[in-house]
């Protein structure tokens, strides 16, 4: 499938890369991009050849949020828009949550507003040393969307989240790492290559175990200890029954790297 504002690439090593492609607008979101991203993500999520998904931006930005020069995304004149419980920002986040493969946000440049929310919704955030991360909603008189008020306090705590949301200030890469927003900060020079190397290493892992781990992590902050223990046992039994687990154990005995097939 071809897209107007999105590049989709695969590397043959199990990594699918989605690149937001409106560099002249710092990849700010217009109606077309809002539709394309969840569709492309769902396609990669359903492809057994893809084990890791990377989301990044073309040019010098990751995603500047809503394109304020294109107000169509906020048009509530149609009944469907007024009755939509999630809107495009909600669909972005829900599609990422539904993806049972590791999702990496490769934050190559400014991530603001809904672009900030997009990064937070990923499992891992690799951030360029030249990037900034910004909630920024209060700067234009808005409250958060794109799951920011859900993910941010879970990542960094309620107090620091309150600071970032109420001030709307820019967070440089080194502070993002210190707060826990960034999984790792990588040098701006050679950033794409470093992200590719990280994603390729991750893609060599066991897909079924990854999916089950993501399920457990997603529910962990909203469940009881008893329920989590039961689900852990159910999932580890499922993992034990896979050919990948048998391969890992055999590789351990033979002192070699396991080769996972995803079953």
């Amino acid at each position: 499938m071809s897209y107007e504002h999105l590049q989709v690439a695969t590397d043959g090593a199990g990594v699918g890369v989605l690149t937001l492609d409106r560099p002249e607008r710092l990849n700010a979101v217009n109606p077309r991009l809002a539709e394309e991203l969840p569709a492309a993500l769902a396609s990669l999520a359903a492809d057994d050849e893809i084990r890791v998904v990377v989301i990044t931006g073309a040019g010098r930005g990751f995603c500047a949020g809503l394109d304020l020069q294109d107000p169509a995304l906020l048009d509530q004149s149609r009944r469907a828009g007024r009755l939509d419980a999630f809107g495009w920002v909600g669909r972005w986040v829900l599609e990422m949550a539904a993806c049972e493969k590791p999702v990496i946000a490769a934050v190559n440049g400014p991530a603001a507003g809904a672009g900030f929310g997009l990064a937070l919704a990923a499992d891992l955030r690799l951030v360029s040393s030249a990037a900034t991360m910004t909630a920024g909603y209060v700067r234009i008189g808005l409250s958060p969307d794109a799951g920011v008020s859900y993910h941010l306090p879970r990542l960094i705590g309620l107090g620091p989240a309150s600071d970032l949301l109420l001030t709307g200030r820019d967070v440089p890469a080194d502070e993002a790492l210190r707060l826990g927003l960034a999984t790792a900060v990588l040098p701006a020079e050679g950033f794409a290559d470093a992200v590719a190397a990280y994603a390729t290493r991750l893609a060599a892992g066991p897909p079924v175990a990854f999916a089950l781990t993501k399920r457990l992590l997603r529910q962990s902050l909203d469940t009881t200890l008893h329920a989590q223990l039961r689900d852990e046992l159910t999932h580890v039994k499922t993992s034990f029954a896979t050919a990948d687990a048998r391969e890992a154990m055999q590789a351990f005995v033979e002192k070699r790297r396991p080769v996972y097939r995803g079953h």
Side-chain angles (χ1 to χ4, degrees), residues 8 35 41 48 187-188 246:
V8 182
E35 295 173 358
L41 183 56
D48 282 347
R246 292 192 294 274

Side-chain angles (χ1 to χ4, degrees), residues 1-221:
M1 182 182 295
S2 61
Y3 300 96
E4 184 178 353
H5 296 308
L6 194 66
Q7 300 175 29
V8 182
T10 58
D11 68 352
V15 179
V17 181
L18 300 178
T19 304
L20 311 184
D21 193 19
R22 298 189 72 219
E24 72 286 355
R25 300 290 300 149
L26 290 179
N27 304 310
V29 184
N30 66 358
R32 186 65 175 163
L33 179 55
E35 295 173 358
E36 289 178 346
L37 180 63
L41 183 56
S43 178
L44 291 181
D47 185 346
D48 282 347
E49 297 301 313
I50 300 301
R51 299 187 178 190
V52 173
V53 176
V54 176
I55 301 176
T56 193
R60 63 184 184 87
F62 177 71
C63 177
L66 176 67
D67 189 342
L68 296 176
Q69 295 185 14
D70 192 337
L73 284 173
L74 298 179
D75 184 6
Q76 295 296 301
S77 62
R78 295 175 63 249
R79 183 170 62 250
R82 293 197 302 274
L83 296 177
D84 187 343
F86 297 103
W88 65 271
V89 286
R91 287 189 292 274
W92 275 26
V93 175
L94 289 174
E95 198 62 58
M96 292 182 73
C99 180
E100 294 201 312
K101 301 170 182 182
V103 178
I104 298 171
V107 184
N108 56 302
F116 181 60
L118 178 64
L120 297 188
D123 301 301
L124 302 161
R125 282 156 297 282
L126 303 181
V127 179
S128 164
S129 58
T132 56
M133 303 180 77
T134 313
Y137 294 96
V138 295
R139 295 185 185 183
I140 51 174
L142 298 178
S143 57
D145 62 6
V148 168
S149 65
Y150 179 88
H151 289 120
L152 189 60
R154 284 166 168 77
L155 285 170
I156 66 173
L158 186 60
S162 298
D163 169 50
L164 298 191
L165 290 176
L166 296 176
T167 65
R169 64 184 179 84
D170 294 341
V171 179
D174 58 345
E175 184 182 4
L177 182 63
R178 190 165 64 251
L179 286 173
L181 287 176
T183 304
V185 172
L186 304 174
E189 185 175 349
F191 178 72
D193 290 339
V195 169
Y198 185 105
T200 299
R201 288 194 300 272
L202 195 60
V208 173
F210 280 166
L212 297 177
T213 299
K214 284 195 62 169
R215 291 182 191 181
L216 290 167
L217 288 172
R218 287 288 182 186
Q219 72 183 43
S220 65
L221 295 178

Side-chain angles (χ1 to χ4, degrees), residues 200-259:
T200 299
R201 288 194 300 272
L202 195 60
V208 173
F210 280 166
L212 297 177
T213 299
K214 284 195 62 169
R215 291 182 191 181
L216 290 167
L217 288 172
R218 287 288 182 186
Q219 72 183 43
S220 65
L221 295 178
D222 300 301
T223 191
T224 65
L225 175 60
H226 287 79
Q228 192 75 354
L229 287 170
R230 286 194 296 267
D231 287 345
E232 283 185 341
L233 185 58
T234 297
H235 291 340
V236 80
K237 287 178 178 179
T238 300
S239 299
F240 263 119
T242 63
D244 279 349
R246 292 192 294 274
E247 159 64 10
M249 294 173 197
Q250 187 63 34
F252 178 80
V253 170
E254 296 174 359
K255 296 181 171 55
R256 61 174 175 82
R257 290 182 181 276
V259 178

